[in-house]
Amino acid sequence: MAELNKKSAKILVFSTEKISDPAIDMAGLLKLHYPPTVYTISIPCSSGIKPSWILYAYEKGFDGVFIAADGSDCVFGESCTEKTGHLVGKTHNLMKENGIEPARLRMAAICSVCSESFVKQMRTFNEYLLKTLHA
Amino acid sequence: MKKKKIGVYICHCGGNISDYVDVEKVRQSVEGEDIVFIAKTTMFACSDTNQRDMVDDIKANNLDGVIVASCSPKLHQLTFRNVSIRADLNKYTYVHANIREQASWAHSDNKMGATEKAIHLVKAAIAKARYADALETNKIKAKKAVAVIGAGVAGMKAAISLAEKNTEVILIEKEPFVGGRVAQWDSLSTTTETGKNMVKRLYSELTKHDNITILTNSEVIENKGSVGNISLKVKRTPRFIKASACHPDDLKRAIEVCPVEVPDEFNFRLSNRKAIYKNYPSEYPQIPVIDVKNCTRCGECEKVCKAVDFTEKEEILDVEVGSVLMATGFDSYTPEYGEFGYATSDNVITLPQFKRMIDTQFDKLTYNGKQIKNIAYIYCVGSRQTDGENTYCSRNCCTSTIHAAVTAKQKFADINNYHFNRGLRTYGKQEILYADSLRSGDIYLQSYEDGLPTVITEGKKTIVKINDILTNGREIEVEADLVVLVTGMVPRADNTIGSLFKIPKGRDKFYNEVHMKLRPVETVIDGITIAGACQGPKNIAESVNSALSAATKSYSILSKGELETDPLVATIDPEKCTWCGACEAACPFDAILKVEKDGKTIAEINNTVCKGCGMCAPVCDPDAVNLIACSSKEIMSMIDALV
Amino acid sequence: MENPIKNISYDALVIGAGIAGGEAALNLANTGFKVLLVDKELSVGGKMIMLSKVFPTLDCSACITTPKVSEISRHPNITIFTGSEVGEIKKISDHEFTAKVTKHPRYVRVEDCTACQLCEKACPQNVRDQYQFGLIGRKAAFIPFSICSPKAAAIDIDNCTLCGACEKVCPTNCIDFTQEVEVMDLHVKTVVIATGFDMFDAKKMPRYGYGQYKNVITALQMERELAPTRPFNTILRPGDGKVPDKIAYVLCVGSRDASVGNPICSQICCMYSIKQAQLLMGALPMADVTIYYINIRSFGKGFEEFYQQAKGMGVNFVKGKIGRISEKEGGNLLLRYEDINEGKLQEAEHDMVILSTGVLPNKGIDKFFVNETLALDPFSFVGQSDMLASPAKTSIEGVFVAGTATGPMDIPDSILSAGAASSEAISYLIQQA
Ligand SMILES: Cc1cc2nc3c(=O)[nH]c(=O)nc-3n(C[C@H](O)[C@H](O)[C@H](O)COP(=O)(O)OP(=O)(O)OC[C@H]3O[C@@H](n4cnc5c(N)ncnc54)[C@H](O)[C@@H]3O)c2cc1C
Ligand SMILES: Cc1cc2nc3c(=O)[nH]c(=O)nc-3n(C[C@H](O)[C@H](O)[C@H](O)COP(=O)(O)OP(=O)(O)OC[C@H]3O[C@@H](n4cnc5c(N)ncnc54)[C@H](O)[C@@H]3O)c2cc1C
Ligand code: SF4
Ligand code: SF4
Ligand code: SF4
């Protein structure tokens, strides 16, 4: 039981309906486990995330925010990668201004079958957050 | 605004959820929320009975919205939207919570954690439902035309089937000739018809339909729009030969005089061809072609053949369709340098090459001038790899190899076949072929999974060695005149077309369907279907089945001439908008217009063009842009519910 | 919709409402054609609705079948007759067939039944439950299974003593013993055959002891034990209700075996056995599962990976054909086999054996037709007149075939085959107009 009750970090994931959601669903199907305090909010495209949402999540108590980006698979076009990168950069700056450690926001491209990579990301992010925030 | 009344249904999924998530606890935790009027658990939310109950509940209590907490919305969003419709509730007031893939299954190792998460997920759905408005779908006119890309058996068959359904078809083939791989095979397994004849038969059917346009030597270079209205640009490379003026004797001479020789890909580089060429006499269309990449413009052919016309120009054609059917087929795996002696031993070739050899030779089978008697087939080359990326089985090669081996034995004298396999996969009725080959004396040797056969060259001799399972691990050696590497199917190396249409790939890198079991020809991109071997290894009959299925799906999208699209588009708050143009620049679809309203210059969204990606939202400094159903107030209230 | 009105003519008659027939009917209906879907069983859904999970995705079969089923049963262009049979199909002219459909009485008015199960409780007659493949019993008044469609009771008149107990308890008075066989004459323009497959009867191989040794069961029975709506709510061996911990699968039972009259490979049994083995390892983590095989046919998309995954989970794969099974005292079973890897005869004891029985054609399909001949293939599946270029065409123009009626195949292949049959049928209907 000790193992099960081990504290895990609260992570908010922004996932995308067509690309990263299927991968996250498949992680469940394959019973690839990750901390249950990882929550996803699904949106059409990762380039539509407002920095204000991310800041709001920290304000409300999330330890980390992860953007499961469409990457080059985005169904809305090539510019997605660049735009998502841009908004992450902008958010990092805002985080610094507000005294939030920028490393608490991560992003990686998660393709529609990247279940394992998603789970790996969640595990390492969780470990990182536990070490830096809850040590 | 009057307070909403919503119903929440939490699914057991027959244990898939309730074995790990305490669904009753979830129900209790949400029933007290202000807008929750009904909260129930159900064994199968998707069952007929529950759907009926939901309809009754909605009607009896005048609910304004419903939430189902069950499996992934990919599976059932449509089901429950339809429930809403049947209960006279706007389908966009329905909200889904995924507590199976993202709770019970993902956290089956931690029941408490899974339950806790499920509660939060349902609460977030309630937060979202609070703002979910009734919306009207957009109706758009759909073009009753389909672009079929690739004219292999799958593409040709799909084109015919669509044309029979009174749908206009543009069949786009990048090679100068139709037929794909099947044109390269003579004898086929399970039939007496040759591949070439099958291609001929399909081509003559294609040309019977005047609503099919065949574009050979053509490639799609641009893709715009979306389901219902897709605009493509197609680049057509000229053949440099006037069909009308083509005389067979002149042409033969033209081919003779052409000084350029390049490896013949049609013959899998076993031989060379000229820069002006045809692959085989009855090829379709029956017009030769000049291969511009290799032609030196020396003009020799022009001197002997009037049909040659170097003034023909490359064309860019505009093609407007409602749906695209992808049938671009496969490549055969190319072995690594030295893999089972490939390219390092004189006597090692691949299965496609072997097929061409037995089809093009008569009486005696020879290779490099030497008569072939003992043939060793090494199976699963480039498939079922334990150390490479191709972990999958190529499905069709066992049967094709046995068929080729049996054909060789029947056609040429003194052939001995040795099959170095990893467990034969002649599934279904193809088993008969395997039985026939055993009866004809073919020898089967099976390797251990961790001890694949080895090919050794000793002087001019090529020896294949194996520890054979079937004889209790004995080491067996066969001196082979020819080693045939049974190369599997791999996705086309050139995936420009896949990237152009953003078709997702699966773990095996073939195009991926939406649902492996139930929706094998649809993709996540609306209006784009996949058929034939581009979706995964298939034989001809399987390719044709998938082509016909894809044709039906493409047709059923367009048959009504009108499509409904989600109204989940961006909105502009005119109060906040200061027209800085940032959103206009961010929109990849030119859906944002600059308008004058009440004396103010603001941005406006063109609803029929907007695809709801939301790229315009984060770039707006005054925060005037929101996406319907993903607005800041919705997202933030979901965040509130999740922490 | 289950429609009591005998609309006398339809565009298409689809025979068999398994996944293939269902998909074909939906494709036709979605493109605007009126379809009559007929199944001899009391529910639509075919074999698939009875399965546990599906290879290689391990999706819950009920969960992915029920939405399809509900889409079919709600479609305004589809009329469903369950408990019905088709015969005397006659081709009158191009695009015109007549057919006789016999609807057997259910003795329950489907519209009124609420599936409350009170009749089931009241009924004193216990019989073998065909929908659980005999693992448990059911009553003569019964609801076929929990996710059946239509979800309504039925009276099994052959086993009913007419005691009237059910009638008395039924709160909606929907039990009606006066229902009679209805015979309808229909006009249709095209026919799709989707009558599915039959399973090899393991009793025909007495050396494996099926029907004689209680702990030897078939894979279809194991599907039920593993299903979410399973009869025992756990895995147990039928002999004594003990939870098994040394389980064996015998592959190719009744397949690839000319001596039982079926030389072909059944294409699905390797994979469904591997699937069940994985599910067993999940349900009974301490159990040993061994699969005795000749070749493993994991040829489809994701199959080889699924096979390797099973190996990784610890499922034992033994290459060897089982010669004979005998029962030991206490119900354990002794398997005698030639271990090909080891090259010698071996014996192994297991406490439960599952026979992975093969796929056979359903008999009598060709007898549906009276004035035309429906050709069968050498194995008695419905013959394909142009196997490669038009796999859904049969020897009769306007009659198409879908799914396992043409030969063994899994669910996605059945969907593709149904897609092909409906595509041809739609073209045939449009060309006529
Ligand atoms: C050695 C071997 C032997 C075989 N023998 C048999 C057999 O005996 N029986 C049997 O049933 N099956 C056999 N097969 C399988 C058979 O070849 C395939 O099932 C069939 O070719 C699949 O057809 P397809 O149309 O999907 O793909 P393909 O045949 O690959 O055709 C695809 C077409 O798309 C075109 N294309 C590709 N990219 C583009 C693009 N970007 N734009 C436009 N066009 C494009 C290609 O040029 C090609 O014409 C064999 C396969 C192999 C490798
Ligand atoms: C033990 C087992 C496990 C399996 N597991 C999997 C799996 O995990 N994944 C997978 O992909 N596949 C699996 N399969 C295969 C799958 O069941 C079949 O591919 C699929 O059910 C075929 O569908 P069908 O519609 O062709 O046939 P069926 O499901 O057999 O449906 C045929 C329908 O026709 C009806 N019918 C028959 N005759 C008549 C008649 N004369 N008049 C009216 N109606 C008639 C029947 O009642 C039935 O409803 C499994 C099969 C078995 C046996
Ligand atoms: S079909 Fe046969 S040869 Fe091809 S990969 Fe599969 S097992 Fe190997
Ligand atoms: S027949 Fe009557 S008693 Fe039986 S389930 Fe239906 S409603 Fe209930
Ligand atoms: S699928 Fe496997 S078990 Fe079934 S008949 Fe073929 S080889 Fe035997």
Side-chain angles (χ1 to χ4, degrees), chain B residues 16 48 51 76 157 161 164-165 201 391 395 424-425 428-429 431 511 513 517 535 549 553, chain C residues 55 67 70 74 256 296-298 301 304-305 377 386 389-390 406 413 416 423 427 431:
Chain B
N16 284 309
D48 251 17
Q51 290 190 35
H76 281 321
K157 194 65 201 184
S161 161
E164 285 171 348
K165 297 177 180 65
R201 188 152 64 101
T391 51
R395 183 169 186 145
L424 263 296
R425 292 190 172 163
K429 298 177 197 169
E431 185 75 3
Y511 293 152
E513 61 279 14
K517 301 309 283 186
Q535 183 264 355
S549 298
K553 296 293 177 199
Chain C
F55 63 75
S70 98
R74 289 225 163 73
R256 306 178 67 186
I296 293 290
R297 276 158 181 187
S298 45
K301 196 162 184 164
E304 178 70 12
E305 292 85 345
D377 78 359
D386 185 359
S390 290
T406 54
D413 282 343
L416 292 178
S423 175
S427 293
Q431 293 300 302

Short mmCIF file of all heavy atoms in Angstrom, two decimals, chain B residues 16 48 51 76 157 161 164-165 201 391 395 424-425 428-429 431 511 513 517 535 549 553, chain C residues 55 67 70 74 256 296-298 301 304-305 377 386 389-390 406 413 416 423 427 431:
data_model
loop_
_atom_site.label_atom_id
_atom_site.label_comp_id
_atom_site.label_asym_id
_atom_site.label_seq_id
_atom_site.Cartn_x
_atom_site.Cartn_y
_atom_site.Cartn_z
N ASN B 16 -15.08 -3.01 -16.76
CA ASN B 16 -13.88 -2.34 -17.27
C ASN B 16 -13.59 -1.06 -16.48
O ASN B 16 -12.44 -0.70 -16.28
CB ASN B 16 -14.06 -1.97 -18.74
CG ASN B 16 -13.91 -3.17 -19.64
OD1 ASN B 16 -12.93 -3.91 -19.54
ND2 ASN B 16 -14.89 -3.41 -20.48
N ASP B 48 -28.65 -0.18 -25.45
CA ASP B 48 -29.95 0.30 -25.87
C ASP B 48 -30.80 0.74 -24.69
O ASP B 48 -31.42 1.79 -24.72
CB ASP B 48 -30.68 -0.84 -26.58
CG ASP B 48 -30.76 -0.59 -28.06
OD1 ASP B 48 -30.01 0.27 -28.55
OD2 ASP B 48 -31.59 -1.26 -28.70
N GLN B 51 -29.65 3.93 -23.17
CA GLN B 51 -29.93 5.06 -24.06
C GLN B 51 -31.40 5.45 -23.97
O GLN B 51 -31.75 6.62 -23.93
CB GLN B 51 -29.58 4.69 -25.51
CG GLN B 51 -28.09 4.57 -25.75
CD GLN B 51 -27.77 4.44 -27.24
OE1 GLN B 51 -28.41 5.04 -28.08
NE2 GLN B 51 -26.76 3.67 -27.56
N HIS B 76 -17.69 6.96 -28.38
CA HIS B 76 -19.12 7.14 -28.15
C HIS B 76 -19.67 8.54 -28.19
O HIS B 76 -20.84 8.72 -27.89
CB HIS B 76 -19.50 6.50 -26.82
CG HIS B 76 -19.61 5.03 -26.95
ND1 HIS B 76 -20.17 4.45 -28.06
CD2 HIS B 76 -19.24 4.03 -26.16
CE1 HIS B 76 -20.13 3.15 -27.92
NE2 HIS B 76 -19.56 2.86 -26.78
N LYS B 157 -9.94 -0.07 -58.63
CA LYS B 157 -11.21 -0.66 -58.23
C LYS B 157 -12.09 0.38 -57.52
O LYS B 157 -13.30 0.46 -57.76
CB LYS B 157 -10.93 -1.85 -57.32
CG LYS B 157 -12.07 -2.76 -57.08
CD LYS B 157 -12.53 -3.47 -58.35
CE LYS B 157 -13.97 -3.92 -58.13
NZ LYS B 157 -14.49 -4.71 -59.24
N SER B 161 -15.80 1.70 -58.73
CA SER B 161 -16.95 1.59 -57.85
C SER B 161 -17.61 2.95 -57.61
O SER B 161 -18.83 3.07 -57.56
CB SER B 161 -16.48 0.95 -56.55
OG SER B 161 -17.38 1.19 -55.53
N GLU B 164 -19.50 4.00 -60.74
CA GLU B 164 -20.79 3.28 -60.81
C GLU B 164 -21.84 3.95 -59.93
O GLU B 164 -23.03 3.78 -60.13
CB GLU B 164 -20.61 1.83 -60.35
CG GLU B 164 -19.92 0.94 -61.36
CD GLU B 164 -19.56 -0.43 -60.77
OE1 GLU B 164 -19.66 -0.62 -59.53
OE2 GLU B 164 -19.20 -1.33 -61.55
N LYS B 165 -21.36 4.65 -58.91
CA LYS B 165 -22.29 5.34 -58.01
C LYS B 165 -22.50 6.78 -58.45
O LYS B 165 -22.77 7.66 -57.63
CB LYS B 165 -21.77 5.26 -56.57
CG LYS B 165 -21.69 3.84 -56.06
CD LYS B 165 -21.10 3.77 -54.66
CE LYS B 165 -21.02 2.35 -54.17
NZ LYS B 165 -20.09 1.50 -54.94
N ARG B 201 -8.07 -5.82 -67.49
CA ARG B 201 -9.51 -5.91 -67.28
C ARG B 201 -10.01 -4.66 -66.53
O ARG B 201 -11.01 -4.06 -66.90
CB ARG B 201 -9.78 -7.18 -66.47
CG ARG B 201 -11.21 -7.55 -66.31
CD ARG B 201 -11.37 -9.05 -66.14
NE ARG B 201 -10.76 -9.59 -64.93
CZ ARG B 201 -11.46 -9.88 -63.83
NH1 ARG B 201 -12.75 -9.68 -63.78
NH2 ARG B 201 -10.84 -10.39 -62.79
N THR B 391 8.58 -4.76 -36.85
CA THR B 391 8.25 -5.88 -35.98
C THR B 391 7.09 -6.69 -36.52
O THR B 391 6.83 -7.79 -36.07
CB THR B 391 7.86 -5.37 -34.59
OG1 THR B 391 6.89 -4.34 -34.76
CG2 THR B 391 9.07 -4.79 -33.86
N ARG B 395 2.34 -10.56 -43.89
CA ARG B 395 1.07 -11.19 -44.19
C ARG B 395 1.02 -11.99 -45.48
O ARG B 395 0.46 -13.07 -45.52
CB ARG B 395 0.00 -10.09 -44.21
CG ARG B 395 -1.40 -10.60 -44.44
CD ARG B 395 -2.43 -9.51 -44.19
NE ARG B 395 -3.75 -10.11 -44.27
CZ ARG B 395 -4.80 -9.77 -43.54
NH1 ARG B 395 -4.71 -8.83 -42.67
NH2 ARG B 395 -5.94 -10.39 -43.69
N LEU B 424 5.23 -21.05 -41.04
CA LEU B 424 4.52 -20.64 -42.23
C LEU B 424 3.19 -19.99 -41.89
O LEU B 424 2.50 -20.45 -40.99
CB LEU B 424 4.25 -21.88 -43.10
CG LEU B 424 5.24 -22.12 -44.24
CD1 LEU B 424 5.12 -20.96 -45.22
CD2 LEU B 424 6.66 -22.29 -43.81
N ARG B 425 2.84 -18.97 -42.65
CA ARG B 425 1.60 -18.25 -42.35
C ARG B 425 0.66 -18.23 -43.54
O ARG B 425 0.19 -17.18 -43.98
CB ARG B 425 1.92 -16.85 -41.86
CG ARG B 425 2.58 -16.96 -40.51
CD ARG B 425 2.74 -15.68 -39.80
NE ARG B 425 3.20 -15.97 -38.45
CZ ARG B 425 3.74 -15.07 -37.64
NH1 ARG B 425 3.88 -13.84 -38.04
NH2 ARG B 425 4.11 -15.43 -36.44
N GLY B 428 -5.94 -19.28 -43.66
CA GLY B 428 -7.19 -19.48 -44.40
C GLY B 428 -7.05 -20.50 -45.52
O GLY B 428 -6.36 -21.50 -45.39
N LYS B 429 -7.67 -20.18 -46.63
CA LYS B 429 -7.70 -21.14 -47.73
C LYS B 429 -6.33 -21.29 -48.40
O LYS B 429 -6.10 -22.22 -49.16
CB LYS B 429 -8.75 -20.71 -48.77
CG LYS B 429 -10.17 -20.68 -48.20
CD LYS B 429 -11.18 -20.17 -49.23
CE LYS B 429 -12.48 -19.76 -48.53
NZ LYS B 429 -13.38 -19.03 -49.42
N GLU B 431 -3.82 -22.22 -47.15
CA GLU B 431 -3.21 -23.42 -46.59
C GLU B 431 -3.09 -24.53 -47.65
O GLU B 431 -2.13 -25.32 -47.63
CB GLU B 431 -4.08 -23.92 -45.43
CG GLU B 431 -3.53 -25.10 -44.67
CD GLU B 431 -2.38 -24.74 -43.74
OE1 GLU B 431 -2.05 -23.55 -43.63
OE2 GLU B 431 -1.82 -25.66 -43.15
N TYR B 511 -0.22 3.86 -43.12
CA TYR B 511 -1.27 4.82 -42.77
C TYR B 511 -2.19 4.19 -41.73
O TYR B 511 -2.50 3.01 -41.78
CB TYR B 511 -2.07 5.23 -44.01
CG TYR B 511 -1.26 6.04 -44.99
CD1 TYR B 511 -1.55 6.02 -46.34
CD2 TYR B 511 -0.20 6.82 -44.55
CE1 TYR B 511 -0.80 6.75 -47.25
CE2 TYR B 511 0.56 7.56 -45.46
CZ TYR B 511 0.26 7.51 -46.80
OH TYR B 511 1.02 8.22 -47.69
N GLU B 513 -5.72 3.84 -39.56
CA GLU B 513 -7.16 4.00 -39.60
C GLU B 513 -7.65 4.59 -38.28
O GLU B 513 -6.91 4.60 -37.31
CB GLU B 513 -7.81 2.62 -39.85
CG GLU B 513 -7.53 1.56 -38.78
CD GLU B 513 -6.17 0.87 -38.94
OE1 GLU B 513 -5.32 1.37 -39.71
OE2 GLU B 513 -5.96 -0.14 -38.27
N LYS B 517 -10.50 -2.08 -35.32
CA LYS B 517 -11.45 -3.17 -35.50
C LYS B 517 -12.62 -2.76 -36.38
O LYS B 517 -13.00 -3.50 -37.28
CB LYS B 517 -12.01 -3.65 -34.14
CG LYS B 517 -10.98 -4.15 -33.16
CD LYS B 517 -10.04 -5.18 -33.74
CE LYS B 517 -10.63 -6.57 -33.89
NZ LYS B 517 -9.60 -7.54 -34.33
N GLN B 535 -2.39 0.93 -46.17
CA GLN B 535 -2.86 0.85 -44.78
C GLN B 535 -2.18 -0.30 -44.03
O GLN B 535 -2.23 -0.36 -42.81
CB GLN B 535 -4.39 0.68 -44.79
CG GLN B 535 -5.05 0.65 -43.42
CD GLN B 535 -5.29 -0.77 -42.91
OE1 GLN B 535 -5.04 -1.74 -43.62
NE2 GLN B 535 -5.76 -0.88 -41.68
N SER B 549 -14.66 -0.75 -49.71
CA SER B 549 -15.16 -0.18 -48.46
C SER B 549 -14.88 1.31 -48.41
O SER B 549 -15.74 2.11 -48.03
CB SER B 549 -14.47 -0.82 -47.25
OG SER B 549 -14.75 -2.18 -47.20
N LYS B 553 -17.44 4.54 -48.12
CA LYS B 553 -17.39 5.59 -47.10
C LYS B 553 -17.27 6.95 -47.75
O LYS B 553 -17.96 7.89 -47.35
CB LYS B 553 -16.22 5.36 -46.14
CG LYS B 553 -16.32 4.07 -45.32
CD LYS B 553 -17.46 4.07 -44.31
CE LYS B 553 -17.53 2.72 -43.60
NZ LYS B 553 -18.84 2.46 -42.97
N PHE C 55 -8.80 -9.16 -30.12
CA PHE C 55 -7.39 -9.00 -30.48
C PHE C 55 -7.30 -8.00 -31.61
O PHE C 55 -8.24 -7.91 -32.39
CB PHE C 55 -6.77 -10.35 -30.88
CG PHE C 55 -7.37 -11.00 -32.10
CD1 PHE C 55 -7.11 -10.55 -33.40
CD2 PHE C 55 -8.22 -12.12 -31.97
CE1 PHE C 55 -7.66 -11.17 -34.52
CE2 PHE C 55 -8.77 -12.74 -33.10
CZ PHE C 55 -8.50 -12.26 -34.36
N PRO C 67 -22.73 -0.07 -29.65
CA PRO C 67 -23.12 1.14 -30.37
C PRO C 67 -23.48 0.87 -31.81
O PRO C 67 -24.41 1.47 -32.35
CB PRO C 67 -21.87 2.03 -30.29
CG PRO C 67 -20.78 1.17 -29.80
CD PRO C 67 -21.38 0.03 -29.09
N SER C 70 -26.86 -0.53 -31.75
CA SER C 70 -27.94 0.41 -31.51
C SER C 70 -28.14 1.34 -32.70
O SER C 70 -29.25 1.75 -33.00
CB SER C 70 -27.74 1.13 -30.17
OG SER C 70 -27.16 2.37 -30.34
N ARG C 74 -31.75 1.51 -34.64
CA ARG C 74 -32.47 2.77 -34.65
C ARG C 74 -32.59 3.37 -36.04
O ARG C 74 -33.24 4.38 -36.22
CB ARG C 74 -31.69 3.77 -33.80
CG ARG C 74 -31.74 3.47 -32.38
CD ARG C 74 -32.02 4.73 -31.61
NE ARG C 74 -32.45 4.36 -30.29
CZ ARG C 74 -31.62 3.89 -29.39
NH1 ARG C 74 -30.35 3.77 -29.66
NH2 ARG C 74 -32.07 3.55 -28.21
N ARG C 256 -6.90 -27.41 -40.59
CA ARG C 256 -5.67 -27.91 -41.18
C ARG C 256 -5.57 -29.42 -41.02
O ARG C 256 -4.51 -29.96 -40.73
CB ARG C 256 -4.44 -27.25 -40.51
CG ARG C 256 -4.50 -25.73 -40.52
CD ARG C 256 -3.31 -25.10 -39.83
NE ARG C 256 -2.08 -25.34 -40.57
CZ ARG C 256 -0.88 -24.99 -40.13
NH1 ARG C 256 -0.75 -24.41 -38.97
NH2 ARG C 256 0.19 -25.24 -40.85
N ILE C 296 2.16 -20.43 -35.56
CA ILE C 296 1.35 -19.32 -35.05
C ILE C 296 1.09 -18.36 -36.20
O ILE C 296 2.02 -17.86 -36.82
CB ILE C 296 2.07 -18.59 -33.90
CG1 ILE C 296 2.18 -19.51 -32.68
CG2 ILE C 296 1.34 -17.29 -33.54
CD1 ILE C 296 0.88 -19.81 -31.97
N ARG C 297 -0.19 -18.14 -36.46
CA ARG C 297 -0.53 -17.30 -37.61
C ARG C 297 -0.91 -15.90 -37.20
O ARG C 297 -2.07 -15.50 -37.24
CB ARG C 297 -1.60 -17.98 -38.42
CG ARG C 297 -0.82 -18.93 -39.32
CD ARG C 297 -1.41 -20.04 -39.89
NE ARG C 297 -0.37 -20.73 -40.66
CZ ARG C 297 -0.61 -21.75 -41.43
NH1 ARG C 297 -1.82 -22.20 -41.56
NH2 ARG C 297 0.37 -22.32 -42.06
N SER C 298 0.10 -15.17 -36.79
CA SER C 298 -0.14 -13.79 -36.36
C SER C 298 0.25 -12.87 -37.49
O SER C 298 1.27 -12.21 -37.44
CB SER C 298 0.65 -13.50 -35.10
OG SER C 298 1.97 -13.97 -35.22
N LYS C 301 -2.45 -6.78 -38.99
CA LYS C 301 -1.93 -5.54 -38.42
C LYS C 301 -1.88 -5.65 -36.90
O LYS C 301 -2.89 -5.89 -36.26
CB LYS C 301 -2.82 -4.37 -38.85
CG LYS C 301 -2.17 -3.02 -38.64
CD LYS C 301 -2.87 -1.93 -39.47
CE LYS C 301 -2.15 -0.60 -39.32
NZ LYS C 301 -2.52 0.38 -40.33
N GLU C 304 1.63 -9.74 -34.89
CA GLU C 304 2.91 -10.29 -34.48
C GLU C 304 3.35 -9.65 -33.16
O GLU C 304 3.85 -10.33 -32.26
CB GLU C 304 3.96 -10.04 -35.58
CG GLU C 304 5.37 -10.54 -35.27
CD GLU C 304 5.51 -12.05 -35.24
OE1 GLU C 304 4.58 -12.77 -35.68
OE2 GLU C 304 6.54 -12.54 -34.74
N GLU C 305 3.12 -8.36 -33.05
CA GLU C 305 3.48 -7.65 -31.83
C GLU C 305 2.68 -8.21 -30.64
O GLU C 305 3.18 -8.34 -29.53
CB GLU C 305 3.20 -6.14 -31.98
CG GLU C 305 4.12 -5.43 -32.98
CD GLU C 305 3.64 -5.51 -34.43
OE1 GLU C 305 2.76 -6.35 -34.75
OE2 GLU C 305 4.16 -4.74 -35.27
N ASP C 377 -17.79 -22.77 -52.69
CA ASP C 377 -16.39 -23.07 -53.00
C ASP C 377 -16.09 -24.51 -52.55
O ASP C 377 -16.96 -25.19 -52.01
CB ASP C 377 -15.47 -22.01 -52.36
CG ASP C 377 -15.27 -22.21 -50.87
OD1 ASP C 377 -15.86 -23.16 -50.30
OD2 ASP C 377 -14.52 -21.42 -50.27
N ASP C 386 -15.58 -13.87 -58.77
CA ASP C 386 -14.42 -13.15 -59.29
C ASP C 386 -13.57 -12.78 -58.08
O ASP C 386 -13.58 -11.65 -57.60
CB ASP C 386 -14.90 -11.90 -60.06
CG ASP C 386 -13.76 -11.16 -60.75
OD1 ASP C 386 -12.59 -11.59 -60.62
OD2 ASP C 386 -14.04 -10.14 -61.40
N ALA C 389 -10.87 -9.63 -58.23
CA ALA C 389 -11.27 -8.30 -58.67
C ALA C 389 -12.61 -7.86 -58.09
O ALA C 389 -12.87 -6.67 -57.96
CB ALA C 389 -11.31 -8.24 -60.19
N SER C 390 -13.48 -8.81 -57.71
CA SER C 390 -14.77 -8.46 -57.11
C SER C 390 -15.12 -9.50 -56.07
O SER C 390 -16.00 -10.34 -56.29
CB SER C 390 -15.88 -8.41 -58.16
OG SER C 390 -15.72 -7.32 -59.00
N THR C 406 -18.00 -16.23 -46.60
CA THR C 406 -17.11 -16.62 -47.71
C THR C 406 -15.88 -17.37 -47.26
O THR C 406 -15.13 -17.85 -48.10
CB THR C 406 -16.51 -15.40 -48.45
OG1 THR C 406 -15.88 -14.57 -47.50
CG2 THR C 406 -17.50 -14.67 -49.23
N ASP C 413 -11.48 -7.76 -41.18
CA ASP C 413 -11.64 -8.31 -42.52
C ASP C 413 -13.12 -8.50 -42.86
O ASP C 413 -13.53 -8.35 -44.01
CB ASP C 413 -10.88 -9.63 -42.68
CG ASP C 413 -9.38 -9.40 -42.89
OD1 ASP C 413 -9.00 -8.26 -43.22
OD2 ASP C 413 -8.59 -10.35 -42.70
N LEU C 416 -14.37 -5.14 -43.85
CA LEU C 416 -13.95 -4.78 -45.21
C LEU C 416 -14.76 -5.55 -46.23
O LEU C 416 -15.18 -5.01 -47.25
CB LEU C 416 -12.45 -5.06 -45.40
CG LEU C 416 -11.50 -4.17 -44.60
CD1 LEU C 416 -10.05 -4.58 -44.84
CD2 LEU C 416 -11.69 -2.70 -44.95
N SER C 423 -20.89 -2.04 -51.16
CA SER C 423 -20.50 -1.18 -52.28
C SER C 423 -21.06 -1.72 -53.59
O SER C 423 -21.64 -1.00 -54.39
CB SER C 423 -18.98 -1.08 -52.34
OG SER C 423 -18.58 -0.37 -53.46
N SER C 427 -23.95 0.00 -55.93
CA SER C 427 -23.76 0.23 -57.37
C SER C 427 -24.86 -0.45 -58.17
O SER C 427 -25.42 0.13 -59.10
CB SER C 427 -22.41 -0.31 -57.84
OG SER C 427 -21.37 0.43 -57.27
N GLN C 431 -27.31 1.58 -60.55
CA GLN C 431 -27.28 1.30 -61.98
C GLN C 431 -28.67 0.98 -62.53
O GLN C 431 -28.98 1.26 -63.67
CB GLN C 431 -26.34 0.12 -62.28
CG GLN C 431 -24.88 0.43 -62.01
CD GLN C 431 -24.37 1.58 -62.83
OE1 GLN C 431 -24.43 1.55 -64.04
NE2 GLN C 431 -23.91 2.64 -62.17
#
